[in-house]
Amino acid sequence: MRYLETISTGYGALPPRANPATDAARLSLNGTWRFRLTPTADTPADFADPAFSDSGWDVIAVPSHWSLQRRDGSWGNPIYTNVRYPIPVDPPYVPTDNPTGDHRLTFDLPGGWPGGDALLRFDGIDSCGRIWLNGTELGVAFGSRLPSEFAVGHLLRPTGNVLAVRVHQWSAGTYVEDQDMWWLPGIFRDVTLLARPDGGLTDVRVHAGYDHRTGLGTLRVDTADGAVLTCPELGLSAAPAGFAIEVPVTPWTAETPHLYRVEVANGVERAVVAVGFRTVVIEDGLFKVNGRAVLFRGVNRHEFDPDHGRVVSEDLMRADLRLMKQHNINAVRASHYPPHPRFLDLCDELGMWVIDECDLETHGFGENDWRRNPTADPAWRDALVDRAVRMVARDRNHPSIIMWSLGNEAGVGDNLGHMAAAIRALDDTRPLHYEGDRDCRHTDVYSRMYAHHDEVELIGRREEPPLDDPELDARRRAMPFIQCEYAHAMGNGPGGLHEYQQLFERHDRLHGGFVWEWIDHGIRSRTPDGREFHAYGGDFGEELHDGNFICDGLVFPDRTPSPGLLEYKKVIEPIRITDAGPGMFTIENRHDFADLTGLTLRWTYEIDGIEHAAGELPCPQLAAGGSATVALPAAGVPGVGGGAGTASATAGEAWWTVRALLTEDAAWATAGHEIAWGQWLAVDASAQVNGAKATGLALDGIAPVEIKSDVAPVGIDETGAGFGVPRAARFDERGRLVEIGGIGLVAPRVDLWRAPTDNDAHALAAQWRHAGLHRVHERTVGVTADGDALVVRTRVAAAATDTGLLVTYRWSETGDMLRLQLDITPDGIWTVPLPRLGLRLGLPAAYDQVEWFGRGPGEAYADTRLAARVGRFTSTVDAMQTPYIYPQENGSRLDVGWASVTDATGAGLRIEGRSPFQFTARRWTSEQLDAARHLTDLAPGEHVWVNVDLAQHGIGSNSCGPAVLPEHELHAAPVAVTVVFTPLR
């Protein structure tokens, strides 16, 4: 049997270990290598001979994936599948057509390179590599995202060393690396030559616990004989390694990541290791660090770069972590493999809880009822245990890692138990995780994916349905619970985050969760005419693919935050600022460990979105879990206390906003960075005068428009061209508004359709299309005059169905203002929710400047609204679009009291609602948006299309997670709304 089709741990590699930076010589072999791609694995291995001439070969960057190095397909293409294997499921065999990349590098040793032993280290080869140095085979490496080291000191030459590596895209290892990502072969992590002095620090194993009752840390470093530890900050000077040392310490947490730089030296070699003292336990059914229960505000993270795949630079890793912390994320699940080791260093430094996950997933076997699944096949035992051992041996020194995970979506089987035992034998200081172990036979935490809110509530109360085995049931019921994946962040969404967070905070057993996932894996590509877009599954001609399911992140491929990330930041903010009654607010510190030192509170007082007063307040120095009530300023604030204004003199909605900001620069953000904010209605003078309600969370409308009694009755003239006196508006013979204030319109009409979101597409979109909601027609029932109003009655319905809506448009004029009273009544039996309900109209394309009072500045929907604050905002139509990789409904502004759409001169149309409305403006219709597959498919037309919606259906998370919660659904029901249109000149 060929080595690449052998169930194996590989051969030739040395035992796994940590790889601390030491003062021993090292040589990076990253750079430009020679490269040859062949279509099968059976090409002769003569290229490993140092005398072989590779002058006719191409060149390739290492690290890299060869299928991304040439984008013309001549070196193959990326393949995306979520669950299904892109090869026949016949373990351990793989297709004969197996792209194989031969890599060659000739290198010299630098001057002064020491003699003696040396190691050649590969940090990642996908999926299998066979390695030679100077014509001698070193071995074969499996475990794509795990390191392999080979002893090479006896083979090295001062000059002309020839390193040859054969990499196969498919191997036996493919069957355990089915991890919902692009299939991308290559040497994609670092290649390094490491000098190993005789008697040096072969391995360094750090144990650093913390006793929260005494404040003492216990340090033990196991390494070479004779090594000593030095750390002035800990009072250590040449303390012997291998023995436990108790010292007072500042503990490490993700919120307060205090590290001690401990020198480990033995006269031959010196290393400096970053030590963080902390203790993780499961106690009283809770997950605790340093004696306190922690709440994970987490994300799942694949390694991804839109140009280089899983080749991720240190700068990009740091940028990711900074962006996570800036958005209040405190935990990362390394899905579904150990990350680049440098990422863990940065987690230690910046502060992040980490679940380190074994390089294991066999999800595709589920397509075949889990037959021959490696986790249940004894033949795979050693290979899977090897992967677990290598993960722990590499990463156990990192304080940021607080759980080990056996892998992901690999079914069940005895091999999981062997992996768990091997991990515990190496490190019994961290709990074990594996979501697929629903009985929790091998794990220490109860973990689920995408459990619905109702089920999470039951689990939080420890009232979930019992297991068949009473003993296992009792054990699991006593465990803490996490959602290792929830809130699927695909496209527009996820919705329902706030409701999840309420559950996590209500029940101690619930320790939060990890949103799936961090980033959209769109590969930067260009159309034939040079326009940039991000490619997803199917864009490379794959015979089997899972489309844009690869684009399900909180940030776009270029790391731009999506509205979903902004919503998540608001939902999980660790400081809660809320109204506490007139002149007061409450601030809560919801951190697990950190106090509120280093923060400033900045307040603003706005009326109708215009700032009237602002200032700063000292932030109470609250310990974690503490709260305080703070007085707001009164003097100088219009309409408040001793302020200069009064409610009647400053008519409008008055809002307080209080923000918690960093006072000074932090390692992950600059001074002034906003961590949290609260906003509430202070006084609504217009409500006092006119009896209207307030906007935003409390906003239902604005003052009604007065209709003057001296306006002449509206009626049709003999040409059907106009109604009303004065003639600010013009209607056609069917009573459709076609002009107002000299602006030609595509007439307003009732609109039900939205371009389905990824969350709609799972189930709802098909129901909507079956009901014909994407192709409704409007039949004019009658056009009549009623006093000073034009009354137009229509019926809106789709072909092939007897279900519809009865619509009455009642138009009346006051000066230049045109008032529409819209009444909608369901007709027939409605069995599906509505995508949206409101008006759509078209303005000329030049009207592309937008201002509104309502929620903003970004998009918001019924269940994704918390990140949008009430204010007055300006934008362009183009800037209001959210560039989801797969085009879909986007850009809605919520709780809008009024909006104006104008041209560059300020001429245009102002739209006001007696009730708040959802507002959208874009250069294409919902139908055109629905038809597009990439952003480059969308072309601006002759109109700006404006939607004034009474409501839209919520967003949910049903591309993989729960559907829209009932309270956010939109169902057909009798409704009435008043909208006022005013031309602007």
Side-chain angles (χ1 to χ4, degrees), residues 450 487-488 759 762 957-963:
Y450 308 108
H488 198 249
N759 294 305
H762 178 71
S957 184
N958 204 29
S959 50
C960 190

Side-chain angles (χ1 to χ4, degrees), residues 704-764:
V705 175
E706 178 187 2
I707 304 300
K708 296 182 180 178
S709 60
D710 59 353
V711 174
V714 176
I716 286 183
D717 65 16
E718 64 275 11
T719 65
F723 300 87
V725 179
R727 297 187 180 208
R730 187 167 63 89
F731 296 79
D732 68 8
E733 69 282 358
R734 292 170 55 181
R736 297 178 299 188
L737 177 66
V738 294
E739 184 179 307
I740 181 170
I743 303 170
L745 301 179
V746 178
R749 57 168 290 181
V750 168
D751 190 21
L752 306 180
W753 186 242
R754 74 181 185 195
T757 67
D758 286 312
N759 294 305
D760 297 334
H762 178 71
L764 265 182

Side-chain angles (χ1 to χ4, degrees), residues 233-301:
E233 190 179 1
L234 289 173
L236 300 181
S237 178
F243 298 92
I245 303 169
E246 276 196 350
V247 287
V249 298
T250 300
W252 188 98
T253 76
E255 297 168 3
T256 56
H258 191 90
L259 293 173
Y260 293 89
R261 304 291 169 178
V262 178
E263 178 186 282
V264 185
N266 67 349
V268 175
E269 190 173 12
R270 172 184 171 274
V272 177
V273 294
V275 175
F277 290 88
R278 56 105 189 95
T279 294
V280 184
V281 297
I282 307 293
E283 184 179 71
D284 302 324
L286 304 178
F287 189 102
K288 295 183 179 181
V289 180
N290 299 342
R292 295 188 185 182
V294 298
L295 185 65
F296 299 119
R297 304 169 171 93
V299 292
N300 287 272
R301 173 189 178 267

Side-chain angles (χ1 to χ4, degrees), residues 21 25 114 134 140 177 223 248 304 310 347 358 378-379 527 584 596 675 899 902 930 949:
N134 293 330
V140 168
E177 295 176 359
T223 186
F304 184 74
R310 282 185 291 283
C347 290
C358 189
T527 61
M584 308 291 287
L596 297 191
I675 295 174
T902 63
D930 185 11
D949 291 323

